[in-house]
Amino acid sequence: MKPGIVIIAAPSGAGKTTLCDMLLQDYPELVYSVSCTTREPRGEEEDGVDYHFVDKAAFERLIGERAFLEHALVHGNYYGTLAAPVRDALRDNLSILLDIDVAGAAQVRESLAALPEGDPLRNCGFVDIFISPPSIAELRRRLVSRGEDAPEVIERRIGNARGEMARADEFHYHVVNDDLGVAYRELRAILEHENAVIGPENHV
Ligand code: ADP
Ligand code: 5GP
């Protein structure tokens, strides 16, 4: 297996967290990249598990220290991937799952290409997958039924979703999350095909 970076991007509400949690359960050699964010914790989210929740000053300090592999302003809040845990995972022969937005994915592609020859990050495996909902109407239904966002937040997320879905072509793979079981099987097949994870038949 070639350890590497697995990027999964999707409009909020498409089912990315659900699908990522399923992958992380099934593949112990895949670890989750815990992002930093300036947004408030939602529901049962835990600091250090779902996100590192930091204030704007701390986030800007990390930008100044060049601690991020990528960072972006999403829905009015900062989000960023710390470079150190990505390097640590690759050093430990693990693949690392980045749940980030389309702008962050573009930055990762650029950052990796700009690294010097011989940098382990430049030569690691890389796969990027875009997940979309079957329709905007279904996306709205899922955001409403999740019950975590105010109506105006839901409308903002849907507005952003149209822009994100227009950039799906930037990704090597595109999975439509209509039936959850079908989408999950497609996702697993992609990761196993790319050797980012070992197929279940090879698990001891
Ligand atoms: P995201 O992480 O992309 O914002 P979530 O994983 O939180 O999305 O999913 C949003 C909501 O939609 C959740 O309530 C989840 O249970 C539900 N959901 C996810 N995938 C499907 C699917 N294929 N069909 C129906 N509901 C789904
Ligand atoms: P949420 O607030 O719903 O957890 O996430 C909102 C959006 O921010 C999602 O599209 C999610 O993928 C994205 N996001 C989460 N972490 C990061 C990150 O570290 N970098 C970038 N660029 N986007 C992120």
Side-chain angles (χ1 to χ4, degrees), residues 10-19 42 99 138 141-143 145-146 177-180:
S12 184
K16 185 176 39 166
T17 306
T18 308
L19 287 162
R42 223 170 35 208
D99 160 351
E138 172 62 11
R141 197 196 64 73
R142 288 182 192 171
L143 285 169
S145 76
R146 187 167 69 182
N177 179 22
D178 188 354
D179 178 277
L180 185 63

Side-chain angles (χ1 to χ4, degrees), residues 18-176:
T18 308
L19 287 162
C20 287
D21 286 349
M22 291 164 84
L23 283 175
L24 292 163
Q25 286 253 325
D26 280 352
Y27 296 107
E29 72 271 32
L30 184 65
V31 295
Y32 185 67
S33 161
V34 180
S35 295
C36 292
T37 184
T38 58
R39 86 148 158 75
E40 293 297 315
R42 223 170 35 208
E44 302 196 334
E45 286 179 334
E46 268 183 65
D47 187 35
V49 176
D50 300 285
Y51 282 104
H52 300 293
F53 294 101
V54 298
D55 61 22
K56 198 165 168 234
F59 198 101
E60 285 171 346
R61 208 163 41 243
L62 288 165
I63 295 176
E65 291 166 4
R66 299 178 159 276
F68 291 116
L69 182 60
E70 63 74 35
H71 61 88
L73 199 61
V74 188
H75 311 141
N77 286 300
Y78 277 128
Y79 292 80
T81 305
L82 292 168
V86 175
R87 290 188 180 278
D88 291 349
L90 297 176
R91 194 200 46 225
D92 294 341
N93 269 341
L94 299 168
S95 285
I96 184 153
L97 178 60
L98 272 53
D99 160 351
I100 61 179
D101 81 321
V102 288
Q107 268 186 57
V108 174
R109 290 185 205 101
E110 279 167 29
S111 306
L112 296 188
L115 287 170
E117 270 317 321
D119 188 299
L121 269 192
R122 181 165 168 162
N123 301 308
C124 70
F126 181 84
V127 53
D128 55 349
I129 305 162
F130 187 83
I131 295 172
S132 59
S135 65
I136 292 287
E138 172 62 11
L139 182 68
R140 181 177 279 109
R141 197 196 64 73
R142 288 182 192 171
L143 285 169
V144 170
S145 76
R146 187 167 69 182
E148 284 176 356
D149 298 305
E152 65 274 15
V153 175
I154 290 181
E155 288 316 310
R156 191 163 70 218
R157 287 181 186 272
I158 287 169
N160 288 339
R162 295 181 201 279
E164 288 170 293
M165 282 157 73
R167 294 182 65 178
D169 286 355
E170 294 175 21
F171 293 74
H172 278 95
Y173 293 99
H174 185 176
V175 171
V176 178

